Amino acid sequence: MKLTCPITGPKPYHHGDLRRALLDAASRVLEREGPNALSLRAVAREAGVSPAAPYHHFKDKSELMLAISEEGFDQLYDFMRQSADPDGPPMERVAAIGVAYVEFAKAHPSIYRVMYDCSRDLEALPDKAHKAEDGAYSLLKKAMIDLGVVSSDQEVDLELACIAAWCAAHGLAEMVGFRQFDSLKAKMGGEKAFLAGVLSHLGTFGQARNRG
Amino acid sequence: MKLTCPITGPKPYHHGDLRRALLDAASRVLEREGPNALSLRAVAREAGVSPAAPYHHFKDKSELMLAISEEGFDQLYDFMRQSADPDGPPMERVAAIGVAYVEFAKAHPSIYRVMYDCSRDLEALPDKAHKAEDGAYSLLKKAMIDLGVVSSDQEVDLELACIAAWCAAHGLAEMVGFRQFDSLKAKMGGEKAFLAGVLSHLGTFGQARNRG
DNA sequence: GGTTCGATCTAATCACTGTCAAGATGAACT
DNA sequence: AGTTCATCTTGACAGTGATTAGATCGAACC
């Protein structure tokens, strides 16, 4: 019979906790050299182990990426929660959540990219990553209910509103984080004004679709 | 002195037009095996040439991807133009453009992914890909002006509205194209209803931000 | 027509990657 | 003590992006 930790799995033997060390190493490689340089071997090198060592903790390269993605969503969730005062007006809360999302993507572009690359691979993440995402998603959902725009008993409508907000935030993250729009930002006097400006026009598309 | 075609560069010698053939081969590989399988060697194999042959037409792998991306944006532009009746009401036109965008992404997920992977690499595409994108972007811009929500003389405001629409469409493309939401779609009776539903809530986020 | 010249393609090679099988290590259990 | 077994290393394989030197073919020139 073996003593195993219910969280991290079997107790580490040689290395202190290689799984943890590998994830940290991956994070470092990502921040330093970008997502294109993220190879299993580079991660192993960074952690100071042999190229094959990671295979005892991750079945695949994609499983490593998935783990990074999960951690990323956890971090995102934390950041959102910190940013949104649960006692403040729901309007501000929804806004704060959205801004936090965009700022996270801008602050950690490489991790954000891994997160979305993973979530696009349909065959992977049956429910695993969705579970990690649920934290952030449920936070938004709650704020949306409190906002009162959609009645909480209309489950479908609520879901749609959350998806809309999420996809707006994702689109914004791509645009604000990875594109420059430097001249436009300068004209508007800063990125915050730019962001607010884009947000104010977000409804136009939807209105056109529904009236048209 | 040499006769060179101003469009395709120097006239092809051995192969009929290897550059063209390579792009077609790349497109085939993408559709068949997905973006992860897109290697220079695979493309060369598909085109029936040696692994080094592509390097006479593309400096890099990334330059090949960039060319694919450019073609993708051209295709997207064409599809948008076909979808939006220029004589119809501008409301419908904006909606049609947005829907066309989302449907293109869903119909050609691999190409769409390459398009956005390229446009995220900041160091690449100084103006080249933006030029190709301009076609699609200017189409939206024109429709937005005709929509009359923003006055055409307020250049900054117009730009913001276009960016907002573009980023909403991108977010939608990711959500509708790559995520499933199958149960939700079923509840709403089809994907079109789902899409319309999400769109109708798109403004909520922006309103919250501005009022909050 | 034959020659030359340069664009085009091939062959060979290098460093790197993901992945695997087989062996070495050493902590934990009897 | 000795055994067990997860952990890690070694060594290897195929496939990748990239570069080089050399073969080859086409078009222009005489």
Side-chain angles (χ1 to χ4, degrees):
Chain A
M1 191 50 79
K2 265 196 152 290
L3 283 183
T4 60
C5 171
I7 300 175
T8 59
K11 269 240 188 85
Y13 286 68
H14 301 158
H15 199 283
D17 184 353
L18 187 53
R19 190 192 149 88
R20 180 69 265 149
L22 285 170
L23 287 174
D24 291 343
S27 190
R28 254 172 289 145
V29 171
L30 270 178
E31 300 276 359
R32 188 175 354 112
E33 303 170 60
N36 291 334
L38 185 73
S39 66
L40 256 177
R41 292 179 109 100
V43 171
R45 216 176 302 138
E46 176 79 21
V49 293
S50 83
Y55 282 88
H56 294 270
H57 301 270
F58 305 99
K59 181 179 126 280
D60 244 0
K61 182 191 179 182
S62 70
E63 206 170 283
L64 203 191
M65 307 251 292
L66 197 67
I68 297 169
S69 164
E70 280 178 41
E71 278 207 346
F73 274 112
D74 283 344
Q75 279 180 254
L76 174 59
Y77 175 49
D78 285 345
F79 185 53
M80 277 176 166
R81 212 176 22 182
Q82 285 171 23
S83 304
D85 175 18
D87 299 324
M91 215 62 132
E92 277 184 22
R93 218 155 84 226
V94 171
I97 289 174
V99 172
Y101 185 99
V102 173
E103 280 182 354
F104 178 87
K106 194 178 168 72
H108 310 283
S110 300
I111 293 178
Y112 184 78
R113 185 144 166 195
V114 170
M115 284 158 66
Y116 258 85
D117 280 356
C118 280
S119 66
R120 268 192 295 236
D121 286 339
L122 314 146
E123 69 273 9
L125 90 156
D127 301 290
K128 221 173 174 185
H130 264 285
K131 209 188 299 171
E133 199 173 327
D134 269 348
Y137 186 75
S138 68
L139 195 71
L140 171 66
K141 204 164 169 177
K142 214 166 162 190
M144 276 299 203
I145 292 173
D146 294 351
L147 191 62
V149 176
V150 273
S151 54
S152 64
D153 52 324
Q154 286 201 357
E155 182 62 34
V156 171
D157 216 39
L158 176 62
E159 207 80 36
L160 288 175
C162 290
I163 293 174
W166 195 277
C167 100
H170 176 63
L172 274 174
E174 295 268 1
M175 292 292 160
V176 179
F178 304 128
R179 306 280 178 118
Q180 286 95 336
F181 300 117
D182 285 338
S183 64
L184 200 56
K185 285 178 194 167
K187 271 186 205 160
M188 299 206 51
E191 187 174 294
K192 272 197 173 163
F194 171 78
L195 193 67
V198 174
L199 278 167
S200 69
H201 287 99
L202 213 51
T204 309
F205 186 49
Q207 287 165 22
R209 177 77 178 91
N210 287 335
R211 286 198 226 141
Chain B
M1 194 48 80
K2 257 190 158 293
L3 284 183
T4 61
C5 171
I7 300 175
T8 58
K11 269 237 190 90
Y13 285 71
H14 300 158
H15 199 284
D17 183 353
L18 187 55
R19 190 191 150 88
R20 180 68 267 151
L22 286 170
L23 286 174
D24 290 344
S27 189
R28 254 173 288 145
V29 171
L30 270 178
E31 300 274 0
R32 183 166 10 102
E33 303 170 60
N36 290 336
L38 185 72
S39 65
L40 258 176
R41 294 178 106 100
V43 171
R45 216 177 302 138
E46 175 81 19
V49 294
S50 84
Y55 284 90
H56 294 270
H57 300 270
F58 304 99
K59 179 181 128 282
D60 241 2
K61 183 191 178 183
S62 69
E63 205 170 283
L64 204 191
M65 306 253 292
L66 196 67
I68 296 170
S69 164
E70 281 178 40
E71 278 208 346
F73 275 112
D74 283 344
Q75 277 178 256
L76 174 59
Y77 176 49
D78 285 346
F79 186 53
M80 277 177 167
R81 214 174 23 184
Q82 284 171 24
S83 304
D85 174 18
D87 299 325
M91 216 60 133
E92 276 184 23
R93 218 154 85 227
V94 171
I97 288 175
V99 172
Y101 185 99
V102 173
E103 281 183 353
F104 177 87
K106 196 179 166 70
H108 309 285
S110 300
I111 294 178
Y112 184 78
R113 186 146 164 193
V114 170
M115 284 159 64
Y116 259 85
D117 279 356
C118 282
S119 66
R120 267 192 294 237
D121 286 339
L122 314 146
E123 67 274 9
L125 91 154
D127 301 290
K128 221 174 175 185
H130 264 285
K131 212 189 297 170
E133 199 173 324
D134 270 348
Y137 187 73
S138 67
L139 195 71
L140 170 66
K141 203 163 170 179
K142 214 165 160 191
M144 275 299 200
I145 292 174
D146 294 352
L147 191 62
V149 175
V150 273
S151 54
S152 63
D153 52 324
Q154 285 201 359
E155 181 61 35
V156 170
D157 216 39
L158 176 62
E159 207 79 36
L160 287 175
C162 290
I163 292 173
W166 195 276
C167 100
H170 175 63
L172 274 174
E174 296 267 3
M175 293 292 160
V176 179
F178 304 127
R179 305 281 177 115
Q180 286 95 338
F181 299 117
D182 286 336
S183 64
L184 200 56
K185 284 178 194 168
K187 271 186 205 160
M188 299 205 51
E191 187 173 295
K192 272 199 174 159
F194 171 79
L195 192 67
V198 174
L199 279 166
S200 71
H201 287 98
L202 213 51
T204 309
F205 186 50
Q207 286 165 22
R209 177 77 178 88
N210 287 336
R211 285 197 227 142

